[in-house]
Amino acid sequence: MFSKFTSILQQAVEALAPSLPLQEDFVYHWKAITHYYIETSDDKAPVTDTNIPSHLEQMLEILVQEENERESGETGPCMEYLLHHKVLETLYTLGKADCPPGMKQQVLVFYTKLLGRIKQPLLPHINVHRPVQKLIRLCGEVLANPTENEEIQFLCIVCAKLKQDPYLVNFFLEPIHRDWSTGVEPAMDPGRVTLLCFLFYQNRSLCRLLVSKLKPCAGAANNLASVSGGGTDEVVANDTGQAQSPGSASSGAHEGGHTSPALPKNPPTDQLEACAAPGLSTNHILQDYNLVNSLLNLTKSPDGRIAVKACEGLMLLVSLPEPAAAKCLTQNTALCELLTARLTSLYRALPQSIDPLDIETVEGINWGLDAYNVKEDASAFPGKRALISFLSWFDYCDQLIKEAHRMAATTLARSVTERFLVSVLEPQLMQTSEIGILTATSLLHRIVRQVTSEALLKEIVHFLVGDQREPETLSGVQGAPLRHRLIEHCNHISDEISIMTLRLFEHLLQKPNEHILYNLILRNLEERNYTEYKPPCPEDRDIVENGQIPGAVDLEEDPIFTDISPDSALSKEWLSASPPITPDHQRTDGKTEVHKIVNSFLCLVPDEAKSSYQVEGSGYDTYLRDAHRQFRDYCAICLRWDWPGTSKPIEKCNLEAPFFEGHFLKVLFDRMGRILDQPYDVNLQVTSVLSKLSLFPHPHIHEFLLDPYVNLAPGCRSLFSVIVRVVGDLMVRIQRIPDFIPKLLLVRKRLLGLEPDGPIVDHMTLLEGVIVLEEFCKELAAIAFVKYHSSATP
């Protein structure tokens, strides 16, 4: 109570006293702080019961006032005094000793406000960045510390200053001098020795008090207790708690093999610096990044606000463009371990089974806003809290890697792959439990949708599809086990697993990574050995027999359709509905005339199996707008991939090599061939993936998927030929269904919501398959039309 009264009285006297010049006023407040340690006998009273907070605040106000009164960038006498007399060094030592109790908090606040409010660059000064480094080491030492809030504010202002001037980060990559002969660090820290030497010769009482407060290292407690009144036997302690007798320094050697000359009775500061500097001849220099280490500790804080602020600080540090900082960040800190360990623990905290729809639709995924109240959530489900936590932390990892220096981003992404994707997620995808596979695939699908960083996307892609870029062979499809398993899951006995895996590949194909499409599709089409080359005969150019080019194989004689009986294969009406093939269907630039391609797809489904013309707004033109928008988006994705504008010349292709469409296309074509017997949702997903593939502006993809007139080699199939076979089967089966058209129209209206649900219609699966097939052919026609006109437009 008496100390508080004294503080109030002193503040009143200072307010009434005549104003002093700024420097004198600054020195007065600083000496008032140092005199406290000489005059006080009660070192257990909290700092809030003293005048120290008031004096520190006044010092800060003086420094701000001085800067405002001077020209930009000019250092005033008060700032000169703070730098020359190592005020920040002394404050750091007082904060480390936490004497009086709460002093650490006051020091952190002073540092934070000084760096935040002073506009001129302070960190380049050695007497600023050195004590700042030391204060950083005190942050995050103990979780749930009363000073956590002040610690994170201080660390974040340092990070913000480094973001403004990235080169300053080199001051915070502290060298670690290790003696490789012993494997330990040298005993003396020159900066800390300098400060305590200065304090000792200026004020023995203050030094004696501080030394008693410093935490001793193992084996050094006896040295710290040996402070005496004599000038020759007094002990100087460094910040690690180790001690050295100044009187014996000239004749003895330090533990690390360094010697220091004897200190004069009142040594100047520069001389103290010189005598404290160690030799580095026998040491290997590493770098420590204590700013990152302290932030990493604070990310574990039970206070969510502190943890988020620490994550923000790390985000600033990883984005610095200095290569040395990026290397130190990933090699000399626990950043990679913390990111992946937390990602793994959050994943393992998820329920073993989560509804895929819940995983897909859960909202509020933002690493900085990970706040969830189950009582206020009307759409809560078991495990939602854990799911949001996992996806939010993955979002943070993704954003951190996205912002990071390229070198750091690569290392961080590789760490996520090795320690989470390979070690944790892959076994879940390779298991045999259908529930486990479905949950793991759903989470993987959400991760693929969510990822935005280039480095992490690259790692995820190679994790999923492997590194191979040579053409696939039927016997080698199991070379990448995870890739093989995922593609097989597209044809799983469980429709839910098939749909979810197909959706995974659909979103994967939309990611800006060339390796995805090359690995799954293009490496098998590169040699165009799905075509059969027939040299053109000039004399046959104008000869047309029965509407076909001489030598063209009739559909019923094509080996692909040998399983279709001549009597029931394709009706004459359907064959006559197909557009006639003319000998000049190839343009001079090698592109089939677009109207012939469009008509080929539109006429694939015969009129007796169509129903869209009886429903308004279901025409082919409804797909054109969507196709135009999607093709533009895909062109933007592929812009950097340097794809050819035209197909590889046929004479340069290796047509003798056996053709295999690849495991992925094989499964898709097999699924497409069963469109009349599969559930509606599966058909929608299969055709959606195929339409996305057709949109890519690569000439070989266009030829293989969208050119009905490509001359296929024996035994090869294309998307068009697969659909032709399906239509042939359809024409046989609809003859056995009475009232086919009315039933087909009813099913279409129910799917569109134009008719209420009623009694189950016979052959529902087939009818839904016919509707999907008709719509898919219209979609392919629209894509072909848009791609043609886009390539023809200069």
Side-chain angles (χ1 to χ4, degrees):
M1 178 64 70
F2 180 74
S3 60
K4 289 184 178 179
F5 175 76
T6 305
S7 175
I8 296 172
L9 182 62
Q10 183 172 348
Q11 292 177 11
V13 171
E14 292 172 358
L16 295 173
S19 59
L20 298 172
L22 288 181
Q23 183 178 6
E24 293 182 22
D25 201 11
F26 185 84
V27 174
Y28 162 75
H29 288 291
W30 174 238
K31 287 187 176 180
I33 294 174
T34 57
H35 286 168
Y36 166 83
Y37 291 93
I38 300 172
E39 298 168 357
T40 187
S41 58
D42 183 11
D43 59 349
K44 295 183 180 179
V47 70
T48 52
D49 290 347
T50 72
N51 296 323
I52 292 177
S54 175
H55 289 303
L56 288 174
E57 184 65 29
Q58 291 298 318
M59 290 170 61
L60 184 65
E61 293 297 333
I62 291 170
L63 290 171
V64 173
Q65 181 182 346
E66 179 187 66
E67 184 180 52
N68 291 336
E69 292 176 355
R70 308 182 76 84
E71 295 183 3
S72 177
E74 184 180 353
T75 303
C78 297
M79 183 61 72
E80 291 285 358
Y81 183 92
L82 178 136
L83 296 174
H84 183 70
H85 289 81
K86 297 191 174 181
V87 171
L88 295 180
E89 289 274 7
T90 305
L91 286 175
Y92 155 73
T93 307
L94 299 176
K96 179 175 175 62
D98 200 27
C99 178
M103 188 61 187
K104 178 182 177 182
Q105 187 177 32
Q106 297 298 322
V107 171
L108 286 165
V109 171
F110 182 81
Y111 272 62
T112 303
K113 290 183 177 180
L114 179 70
L115 294 175
R117 296 179 63 182
I118 299 299
K119 299 176 183 177
Q120 59 180 297
L122 293 179
L123 286 177
H125 295 281
I126 189 171
N127 290 335
V128 175
H129 70 250
R130 179 173 289 176
V132 167
Q133 288 174 359
K134 297 174 183 178
L135 191 58
I136 286 171
R137 298 189 198 114
L138 300 184
C139 299
E141 288 183 322
V142 181
L143 293 182
N145 194 309
T147 62
E148 262 192 350
N149 187 60
E150 288 74 22
E151 289 175 8
I152 194 61
Q153 295 295 337
F154 164 66
L155 294 176
C156 284
I157 195 65
V158 174
C159 293
K161 290 296 179 183
L162 296 183
K163 184 66 175 178
Q164 292 175 4
D165 298 301
Y167 76 94
L168 294 176
V169 73
N170 294 289
F171 292 131
F172 294 87
L173 305 179
E174 305 174 54
I176 306 173
H177 308 294
R178 299 188 184 275
D179 188 338
W180 295 104
S181 62
T182 61
V184 299
E185 297 182 18
M188 305 299 287
D189 182 321
R192 295 166 180 171
V193 172
T194 299
L195 172 61
L196 290 175
C197 288
F198 175 74
L199 288 173
F200 179 82
Y201 283 102
Q202 293 293 323
N203 189 327
R204 296 179 184 178
S205 299
L206 175 59
C207 185
R208 189 178 295 116
L209 177 62
L210 294 178
V211 169
S212 69
K213 291 289 182 181
L214 293 176
K215 296 178 182 179
C217 291
N222 293 333
N223 291 335
L224 285 174
S226 62
V227 179
S228 65
T232 58
D233 297 326
E234 291 160 348
V235 177
V236 176
N238 70 0
D239 220 19
T240 62
Q242 295 166 316
Q244 173 74 21
S245 172
S248 62
S250 59
S251 58
H254 291 302
E255 228 178 88
H258 309 130
T259 61
S260 297
L263 297 175
K265 186 172 183 180
N266 292 293
T269 302
D270 294 342
Q271 191 171 349
L272 286 172
E273 289 282 356
C275 72
L280 302 177
S281 58
T282 61
N283 292 342
H284 180 76
I285 298 179
L286 298 176
Q287 287 181 317
D288 202 359
Y289 207 163
N290 284 312
L291 183 54
V292 172
N293 294 331
S294 295
L295 287 170
L296 288 175
N297 289 336
L298 288 172
T299 61
K300 306 171 188 175
S301 171
D303 188 335
R305 294 170 301 175
I306 301 294
V308 168
K309 293 290 289 183
C311 289
E312 290 174 352
L314 289 171
M315 189 80 74
L316 289 174
L317 292 182
V318 300
S319 65
L320 299 179
E322 293 292 316
K327 182 177 180 181
C328 188
L329 183 82
T330 53
Q331 295 185 2
N332 298 351
T333 74
L335 179 60
C336 294
E337 290 82 354
L338 180 137
L339 290 178
T340 53
R342 187 167 180 182
L343 197 63
T344 298
S345 64
L346 290 172
Y347 180 86
R348 287 176 171 160
L350 295 171
Q352 293 185 351
S353 176
I354 307 179
D355 189 333
L357 185 61
D358 290 334
I359 296 176
E360 180 182 358
T361 58
V362 66
E363 298 178 353
I365 306 306
N366 187 312
W367 69 267
L369 300 173
D370 184 11
Y372 173 70
N373 190 333
V374 67
K375 295 181 180 180
E376 299 176 358
D377 188 0
S379 62
F381 55 86
K384 186 171 185 178
R385 165 72 273 178
L387 178 61
I388 290 178
S389 296
F390 167 73
L391 294 177
S392 296
W393 188 250
F394 179 81
D395 180 59
Y396 175 69
C397 296
D398 179 44
Q399 295 302 317
L400 190 77
I401 295 171
K402 185 177 182 179
E403 297 295 328
H405 184 280
R406 182 179 294 272
M407 183 191 306
T410 302
T411 305
L412 290 168
R414 188 175 299 117
S415 177
V416 171
T417 299
E418 294 172 355
R419 301 180 186 184
F420 171 67
L421 296 178
V422 174
S423 303
V424 179
L425 191 56
E426 183 172 355
Q428 298 294 310
L429 295 168
M430 300 289 284
Q431 64 181 306
T432 56
S433 166
E434 289 189 6
I435 294 177
I437 292 172
L438 183 60
T439 301
T441 307
S442 301
L443 288 167
L444 177 60
H445 173 235
R446 182 61 190 254
I447 286 173
V448 169
R449 281 178 50 201
Q450 199 167 307
V451 66
T452 57
S453 64
E454 183 179 351
L456 185 55
L457 174 61
K458 180 180 178 181
E459 288 291 331
I460 291 176
V461 166
H462 285 265
F463 162 71
L464 293 177
V465 303
D467 304 324
Q468 296 80 9
R469 292 180 68 87
E470 65 278 0
E472 291 182 76
T473 60
L474 188 58
S475 60
V477 292
Q478 299 187 28
L482 180 59
R483 178 186 188 273
H484 176 264
R485 182 66 63 88
L486 288 174
I487 294 176
E488 285 296 313
H489 285 174
C490 295
N491 197 21
H492 200 275
I493 190 173
S494 166
D495 291 334
E496 284 188 293
I497 292 177
S498 295
I499 292 171
M500 185 52 62
T501 310
L502 285 166
R503 296 188 68 187
L504 167 65
F505 279 105
E506 180 181 3
H507 281 95
L508 196 63
L509 288 168
Q510 298 174 55
K511 291 295 179 178
N513 186 293
E514 184 269 349
H515 183 71
I516 301 168
L517 202 69
Y518 193 89
N519 178 278
L520 293 174
I521 308 294
L522 284 175
R523 58 174 170 157
N524 305 307
L525 307 181
E526 196 165 21
E527 293 299 326
R528 297 178 67 192
N529 45 347
Y530 49 84
T531 64
E532 184 177 25
Y533 178 59
K534 293 183 177 180
C537 299
E539 61 274 14
D540 294 337
R541 180 177 178 85
D542 297 324
I543 301 177
V544 180
E545 296 179 1
N546 297 325
Q548 292 189 345
I549 305 175
V553 180
D554 185 84
L555 286 175
E556 297 187 16
E557 297 176 358
D558 195 308
I560 294 178
F561 308 104
T562 53
D563 59 336
I564 303 176
S565 64
D567 297 333
S568 61
L570 305 176
S571 67
K572 296 181 179 179
E573 292 81 9
W574 176 71
L575 285 174
S576 62
S578 300
I581 304 175
T582 59
D584 59 344
H585 75 279
Q586 292 287 339
R587 289 163 48 95
T588 56
D589 58 2
K591 294 178 181 176
T592 307
E593 293 179 15
V594 66
H595 73 276
K596 296 186 180 296
I597 293 178
V598 169
N599 287 335
S600 295
F601 282 110
L602 292 179
C603 295
L604 261 177
V605 178
D607 291 340
E608 54 264 39
K610 290 181 179 180
S611 58
S612 61
Y613 66 91
Q614 300 188 49
V615 178
E616 187 177 354
S618 300
Y620 147 76
D621 55 329
T622 59
Y623 288 94
L624 287 174
R625 182 181 291 104
D626 287 341
H628 177 75
R629 176 183 53 81
Q630 292 179 21
F631 182 64
R632 181 185 58 205
D633 294 342
Y634 276 73
C635 286
I637 293 174
C638 307
L639 197 59
R640 298 183 301 166
W641 296 353
D642 195 27
W643 275 354
T646 58
S647 301
K648 184 177 181 180
I650 197 71
E651 58 272 12
K652 295 183 179 180
C653 296
N654 182 15
L655 300 182
E656 301 301 323
F659 174 71
F660 175 50
E661 63 251 38
H663 193 195
F664 186 57
L665 275 182
K666 178 182 183 301
V667 169
L668 290 178
F669 283 177
D670 290 346
R671 275 290 197 183
M672 189 66 205
R674 301 197 300 271
I675 193 171
L676 301 179
D677 303 297
Q678 292 174 157
Y680 179 71
D681 292 337
V682 174
N683 287 337
L684 286 181
Q685 198 56 57
V686 171
T687 54
S688 178
V689 175
L690 285 169
S691 66
K692 296 295 188 299
L693 284 173
S694 302
L695 283 163
F696 281 99
H698 193 287
H700 296 170
I701 291 178
H702 182 89
E703 180 180 49
F704 191 63
L705 296 181
L706 289 179
D707 190 352
Y709 297 99
V710 62
N711 192 20
L712 292 174
C716 297
R717 58 179 178 173
S718 67
L719 178 57
F720 186 83
S721 70
V722 171
I723 299 176
V724 166
R725 174 177 292 186
V726 171
V727 171
D729 184 28
L730 171 64
M731 296 306 298
V732 174
R733 296 168 67 172
I734 63 176
Q735 304 300 326
R736 305 169 186 168
I737 302 176
D739 301 322
F740 176 78
I741 292 297
K743 291 179 180 178
L744 185 65
L745 185 59
L746 176 62
V747 171
R748 175 179 282 274
K749 289 182 178 181
R750 284 184 180 180
L751 291 174
L752 293 174
L754 302 177
E755 288 281 346
D757 292 337
I760 298 177
V761 180
D762 294 337
H763 308 286
M764 176 69 76
T765 300
L766 183 141
L767 295 171
E768 290 177 337
V770 173
I771 293 170
V772 173
L773 179 64
E774 181 185 353
E775 297 303 309
F776 183 51
C777 288
K778 291 192 292 184
E779 186 176 13
L780 292 177
I783 292 172
F785 182 84
V786 168
K787 290 179 74 174
Y788 174 85
H789 282 282
S790 176
S791 61
T793 303

